[in-house]
Amino acid sequence: MRHVLVPLDINPTPPPAASTLFEAAGATMGTSWSARLMLPAGVRSKLGERMQAELDGIVNEMSHWLPDSVLGRYNRALAGSWIAIPPRFAEVLDYALGVFDASGGAYDPFAGALVNLWGFGPERRYDQAGFYAPAVDAVQDVLARRAALHPVFDRAGQRLLQPGGALLDLSSVAKGYAVDRLAFCLEQHGVRHYVVEIGGELRGAGTKPDGQPWWVTLEGVPGADSVETVAALHGLAVATSGDYRRYFEHGLQRASHTLDPRSGYPIANDVASATVLAATCMAADALSTTITVLGAEAGLAFAEARGLAARLLLRRDHGLEEVTTSAYRAMLQ
């Protein structure tokens, strides 16, 4: 048995005549990327190089691993400094701050100090020798310093104020945005039928050579029994957040890389994974993380209030329980 998800809005336009299947792949953001597309006759075939260049540009702007990225320079800037940020960076930050406001702080792009404290940043990694979980006082100190900081985003001027010690981390939204930029790159060159992917986050449009949509299997929880679900990525993007992605054992508990910026600790709710299907992968990426942090009840309410197609897998004594939103159920065939 398996579930099948199909978008409510279908564009029946087939690929142009004489289109050929084209594939490209590479590495970015510590993982791999890939693209499969119907290449119209006459379109240049160096799309793989252009997509890689697009991704490299995003990394050079938003990576918290590269000291000389725009984000890295902002994080090291002196108090009172205004840092100019490029248009792509501004678009991502603007969206992330909107989710921060909508979620009541359950999603916070300025939680970089907390990410570092728990060993999920570029230094003092949780998987390196000598790492230990932070003490309560250390967590409270980071929360207090974050509460006292007030970064200012000048949208019109595309610049960001460093109040002193603010650490920006866009890792829970930048990958989804990068998927969208792959799609944008293809559409700029006249490609309307494709599926693009970075590290398991995907976006698709149009159809395959046989007229079928780009079918993908939604990510489940490794080692757990759950009903297989496939989705037609026809004008849709999908991303999944899960407590199994990166974690370490902290006493008798699992310390997930998904942190709650409000408490300062890794999530400790029943959500094993949250999957969101949306028009953009940036939204699916950030919102799946947000729902995971909010937990089953508040996360579902958040998703329902915004008409999101979301699926949560909850850990129960008897195994996994699937709960979904009405927008998700409307897509079931």
Side-chain angles (χ1 to χ4, degrees), residues 105-267:
Y107 180 91
D108 186 1
F110 284 95
L114 193 62
V115 173
N116 292 343
L117 183 68
W118 282 95
F120 297 111
E123 300 177 359
R124 191 179 169 270
R125 296 280 298 169
Y126 72 96
D127 52 0
Q128 295 177 345
F131 174 81
Y132 54 89
V136 173
D137 289 348
V139 173
Q140 295 304 312
D141 180 61
V142 167
L143 291 180
R145 283 189 279 120
R146 169 66 183 97
L149 294 175
H150 300 286
V152 178
F153 178 32
D154 176 7
R155 289 171 172 81
Q158 290 198 339
R159 58 180 189 156
L160 184 61
L161 174 67
Q162 171 58 269
L167 295 184
L168 188 59
D169 185 334
L170 298 175
S171 57
S172 59
V173 66
K175 185 166 69 171
Y177 178 74
V179 172
D180 292 333
R181 293 299 299 189
L182 289 180
F184 177 74
C185 181
L186 293 177
E187 291 174 1
Q188 275 192 314
H189 289 83
V191 177
R192 298 290 183 269
H193 300 261
Y194 59 82
V195 61
V196 290
E197 171 268 342
I198 301 177
E201 299 186 6
L202 305 101
R203 176 170 168 168
T207 61
K208 297 188 293 184
D210 60 2
Q212 286 288 315
W214 305 95
W215 292 104
V216 300
T217 301
L218 299 193
E219 183 177 332
V221 177
D225 293 329
S226 59
V227 176
E228 181 184 70
T229 301
V230 295
L233 286 194
H234 184 89
L236 283 176
V238 61
T240 297
S241 175
D243 67 356
Y244 50 84
R245 289 287 184 87
R246 294 190 304 278
Y247 66 92
F248 62 89
E249 300 297 332
H250 174 45
L252 299 178
Q253 296 183 332
R254 175 198 300 255
S256 167
H257 80 287
T258 303
L259 306 174
D260 187 337
R262 301 166 300 177
S263 70
Y265 285 86
I267 57 170

Side-chain angles (χ1 to χ4, degrees), residues 301-314:
F302 177 89
E304 287 286 8
R306 289 157 182 80
L308 300 178
R311 179 194 72 175
L312 278 68
L313 297 180
L314 308 178

Side-chain angles (χ1 to χ4, degrees), residues 275-277 291 300 303 308-312 323-329:
T275 297
V276 172
L277 295 102
I291 292 169
L300 278 174
L308 300 178
R311 179 194 72 175
L312 278 68
V323 293
T324 59
T325 62
S326 54
Y328 181 98
R329 294 191 294 274

